[in-house]
Amino acid sequence: MTTDSLLEALDPEQREAAETLLGPVCILAGAGTGKTRTVTHRIAYGIGAGYYTASRVMALTYTNRAAGELRARLRQLGIVGASVKTFHAAALAQLQYFWPQFAGIPAPMVIDSKSKIIAQAAESLKLKFDTASVRDIAAEIEWRKYSMLSLDDYEKVAGSRGIVGGLSAEMNVKLQRAYEETKVSLNRLDWEDVLILNLGLLRAEPRALAHVHQQYRFFTVDEYQDISPLQHALLDAWLGDHNDICVVGDPNQTIYSFTGASSEYLRNFANRFEDTKVVQLTRNYRSTQEIVAFANRLTVKSSDMDPLESQGSLGLPPTIRSHATIAAEAKFVANQVAERLAQGAAAHEIAVLYRVNGQSEALENALGDLGIEYQVRGGERFFNRPEIQGAIQAIRAEAMSSSEKPLNQSVTDIARSFGWQLKAPSEPGAALDRWESLSSLIQIIDELPEGSNIVDFAKELEERQRSQHEPQKSAVTLATIHAAKGLEWDIVHIVGLNEGYLPISYAQTESEVAEELRLLYVGVTRAKKELTLNYPSSDIDGGRSRQGSRFLSLFKSRD
């Protein structure tokens, strides 16, 4: 693709952002407005036009999936060599590089999960917790660290944080101290420590900081509305005295304040950097006019963003449905899914979204009763499956053997050795799951540039495995709205729109309720063609009644 054609592929606002290559740039990108397209074309245009050297570009994301998608898009535009990582991956790479130089020993290992160390710390204090409490305590530890509070600082505010894991403020602080002591005794880090230690090292070692400044000069930060004080401090260290930074965000999609994130950095960006170029992307290419109009009813009039403008067809009006019970709601949604599948809809283009993980059980049962394949987002990792691990090892071996077989033949032959066949098994179960996994592996070939060989494929799998950039499975998706952010489907059902769920029961303050409203906005804007909002009137037949969400009133006609 030529440099000029990179710009021709963009709309006027996207092009304006892509042409502003130097100095501070703030892209306010509404849902479905092509922010990834804009960012990738901006980077590719900057490199193609000679403004950037690829090796000095750092693009930062919040999820491995987003980083993987950004890398793949850049590669399709012919760009290699730019660094595209999550904050954590970038910080870990630097920590592992600098730690041996300045500490004389390898950097400590990073734990996969806090739960085991929390359990050990709790045992030392003769405490026991259920899974939900451990999850709440882990979240509180993350909030403290992302907010850059020492344990002594946290102790001063612990009383205002409410009950965490059923503990008093005093016991909460004791447990967090025990957690830190246990972690240190095991010579382990959690992911927040990676950011903290990397920041501390760069501040303490001028040579390390100078190395980073020499290596990276041009920064792009995605989802800037959800940056935490800790991430922001690290970004400042990386940026140094330069101002060649492009941030991308949407204040209407700020949904991670509970982790310590703050949209104020996005709102105040233009005040911090002189001569900031601010570009708004409001042309929505994802959803129908009906869905976009529906979503616009959820945005606050004083928002920093203009309303979305659908570029799509009129489409079907979204529907709101009440159901007698949770089971009745799940059955209705499952029947709707079955009907669309029978009409030819693709399973991977349908999603059912909810507020908390526990709401998936009734949906799993209802879909299972109808024999509908589904995947719970956040379940078993694709690259952790035995057949995929085995196939990747075989692909690496084939790549090292200098095979001259066509890529498709090499990969399908390897897949067949693990039980894959052209036709899918007729019965659900382990055999079908294995077939679908191997089929997804084969389909990655279609995403590679034309002329790729087995060596290119092996490198692609290595990169995807590292970033957990997983292929799409042909199944209906079940996910929390938080987990659905950044994704889209043709057909979306949102369930459990009740008081106590959305907004969640512990959202009491005005700002907490406002964040729940933004969460619903994120859910609504995941839908491209069809959207239904559902809520049960009670848990079970004869059970206590449930009130529909206060947010439902916003969908009534406005003057």
Side-chain angles (χ1 to χ4, degrees):
M1 184 175 286
T2 65
T3 303
D4 289 341
S5 64
L6 286 168
L7 296 179
E8 291 170 0
L10 305 177
D11 70 27
E13 294 78 24
Q14 293 171 344
R15 179 168 183 155
E16 182 182 9
E19 286 181 311
T20 310
L21 295 168
L22 300 177
V25 179
C26 179
I27 303 175
L28 298 175
T33 58
K35 68 166 185 175
T36 304
R37 181 181 185 83
T38 304
V39 166
T40 52
H41 280 67
R42 180 179 183 273
I43 293 172
Y45 179 67
I47 294 171
Y51 287 87
Y52 306 155
T53 300
S55 61
R56 301 199 72 190
V57 172
M58 169 74 86
L60 295 159
T61 70
Y62 282 83
T63 66
N64 289 319
R65 185 199 57 78
E69 181 181 357
L70 199 58
R71 262 193 305 270
R73 297 264 198 110
L74 285 172
R75 189 169 53 248
Q76 289 169 1
L77 296 176
I79 300 301
V80 295
S83 184
V84 183
K85 297 179 179 179
T86 64
F87 272 91
H88 291 95
L92 181 61
Q94 291 179 17
L95 196 66
Q96 290 176 334
Y97 179 79
F98 291 122
W99 195 271
Q101 297 181 41
F102 295 101
I105 56 174
M109 298 288 289
V110 182
I111 58 176
D112 292 328
S113 168
K114 294 181 175 66
S115 57
K116 288 184 179 179
I117 296 181
I118 290 174
Q120 290 182 47
E123 187 177 349
S124 70
L125 297 173
K126 296 181 169 49
L127 298 172
K128 286 188 178 181
F129 299 105
D130 57 21
T131 302
S133 295
V134 170
R135 187 166 57 241
D136 290 344
I137 293 163
E140 186 70 359
I141 292 170
E142 291 167 12
W143 177 86
R144 169 175 61 82
K145 293 186 174 186
Y146 279 130
S147 301
M148 299 185 74
L149 296 177
S150 67
L151 278 165
D152 289 341
D153 292 333
Y154 178 75
E155 189 170 10
K156 298 172 185 176
V157 300
S160 65
R161 293 290 295 163
I163 302 298
V164 179
L167 296 175
S168 65
E170 181 183 5
M171 189 55 72
N172 175 15
V173 173
K174 284 184 178 180
L175 178 60
Q176 291 203 38
R177 289 190 187 279
Y179 166 83
E180 296 297 336
E181 291 166 1
T182 302
K183 182 162 52 64
V184 170
S185 70
L186 296 171
N187 193 32
R188 293 291 184 268
L189 304 177
D190 59 30
W191 279 108
E192 296 74 50
D193 292 332
V194 171
L195 302 182
I196 293 168
L197 290 178
N198 190 41
L199 176 60
L201 189 151
L202 293 178
R203 285 176 170 176
E205 299 292 347
R207 284 180 297 161
L209 187 59
H211 182 102
V212 172
H213 289 166
Q214 178 63 31
Q215 183 172 9
Y216 299 115
R217 173 65 188 272
F218 306 100
F219 289 84
T220 299
V221 187
D222 192 15
E223 303 288 4
Y224 194 67
Q225 78 278 354
D226 285 324
I227 195 169
S228 70
L230 175 57
Q231 290 163 322
H232 196 267
L234 185 55
L235 177 63
D236 273 354
W238 288 338
L239 190 63
D241 295 331
H242 300 296
N243 67 352
D244 291 313
I245 178 171
C246 173
V247 300
V248 189
D250 179 2
N252 288 323
Q253 297 189 70
T254 303
I255 59 172
Y256 287 104
S257 296
F258 66 92
T259 68
S262 173
S263 62
E264 291 306 305
Y265 296 112
L266 175 64
R267 297 178 190 277
N268 295 328
F269 185 82
N271 295 328
R272 182 185 176 204
F273 290 96
E274 290 184 11
D275 302 321
T276 294
K277 178 71 172 181
V278 179
V279 181
Q280 280 202 42
L281 306 183
T282 58
R283 301 179 197 235
N284 178 287
Y285 297 96
R286 176 185 297 157
S287 307
T288 63
Q289 295 174 31
E290 289 275 10
I291 291 173
V292 166
F294 206 65
N296 281 337
R297 294 176 183 272
L298 298 174
T299 56
V300 180
K301 290 183 178 178
S302 61
S303 169
D304 302 276
M305 285 288 294
D306 291 336
L308 294 175
E309 305 168 22
S310 175
Q311 306 300 298
S313 60
L314 181 62
L316 298 171
T319 59
I320 300 174
R321 295 184 180 274
S322 171
H323 307 277
T325 63
I326 292 175
E329 176 188 56
K331 185 176 181 181
F332 168 81
V333 170
N335 285 331
Q336 289 288 299
V337 170
E339 183 178 321
R340 288 293 180 270
L341 292 174
Q343 293 169 352
H348 68 265
E349 286 291 359
I350 302 175
V352 188
L353 308 181
Y354 37 83
R355 177 62 176 84
V356 297
N357 286 305
Q359 292 174 278
S360 73
E361 183 180 2
L363 295 161
E364 292 182 59
N365 292 336
L367 292 169
D369 288 344
L370 297 180
I372 297 173
E373 283 286 318
Y374 63 86
Q375 60 177 347
V376 180
R377 188 157 184 83
E380 184 187 10
R381 290 288 193 182
F382 175 81
F383 289 105
N384 290 347
R385 295 171 187 169
E387 66 273 14
I388 297 302
Q389 291 182 337
I392 289 176
Q393 288 179 355
I395 288 166
R396 286 172 180 161
E398 183 92 353
M400 294 175 66
S401 70
S402 302
S403 171
E404 296 183 1
K405 285 195 297 186
L407 175 58
N408 193 71
Q409 182 183 343
S410 293
V411 177
T412 52
D413 285 350
I414 289 170
R416 288 181 193 279
S417 71
F418 286 89
W420 183 83
Q421 54 191 6
L422 194 59
K423 188 176 180 182
S426 57
E427 298 295 327
L432 181 59
D433 289 343
R434 186 164 53 252
W435 182 88
E436 288 180 339
S437 296
L438 292 167
S439 293
S440 296
L441 186 73
I442 294 170
Q443 288 167 10
I444 294 175
I445 295 173
D446 297 333
E447 300 178 35
L448 295 180
E450 188 174 347
S452 297
N453 57 30
I454 191 70
V455 175
D456 300 320
F457 190 61
K459 290 179 180 177
E460 173 71 10
L461 292 179
E462 181 181 354
E463 186 59 59
R464 288 188 178 223
Q465 190 171 20
R466 186 185 303 117
S467 65
Q468 288 295 340
H469 179 203
E470 302 179 352
Q472 199 172 61
K473 181 182 178 183
S474 183
V476 175
T477 298
L478 303 181
T480 65
I481 301 177
H482 279 102
K485 192 170 187 303
L487 303 175
E488 59 185 39
W489 296 271
D490 284 347
I491 302 166
V492 172
H493 299 273
I494 301 178
V495 301
L497 269 171
N498 296 91
E499 289 292 309
Y501 276 122
L502 199 61
I504 199 74
S505 57
Y506 50 76
Q508 298 295 321
T509 66
E510 183 178 347
S511 62
E512 289 169 342
V513 172
E515 178 136 335
E516 293 292 298
L517 180 60
R518 292 193 296 269
L519 188 60
L520 178 56
Y521 174 83
V522 169
V524 167
T525 54
R526 299 312 93 196
K528 293 194 282 187
K529 297 179 180 178
E530 296 181 34
L531 173 69
T532 63
L533 278 62
N534 303 271
Y535 65 98
S537 298
S538 64
D539 291 344
I540 58 175
D541 287 325
R544 67 184 179 91
S545 62
R546 280 194 173 276
Q547 184 179 351
S549 170
R550 71 192 76 174
F551 299 148
L552 294 172
S553 64
L554 298 174
F555 296 117
K556 296 177 181 178
S557 297
R558 285 181 178 176
D559 295 330

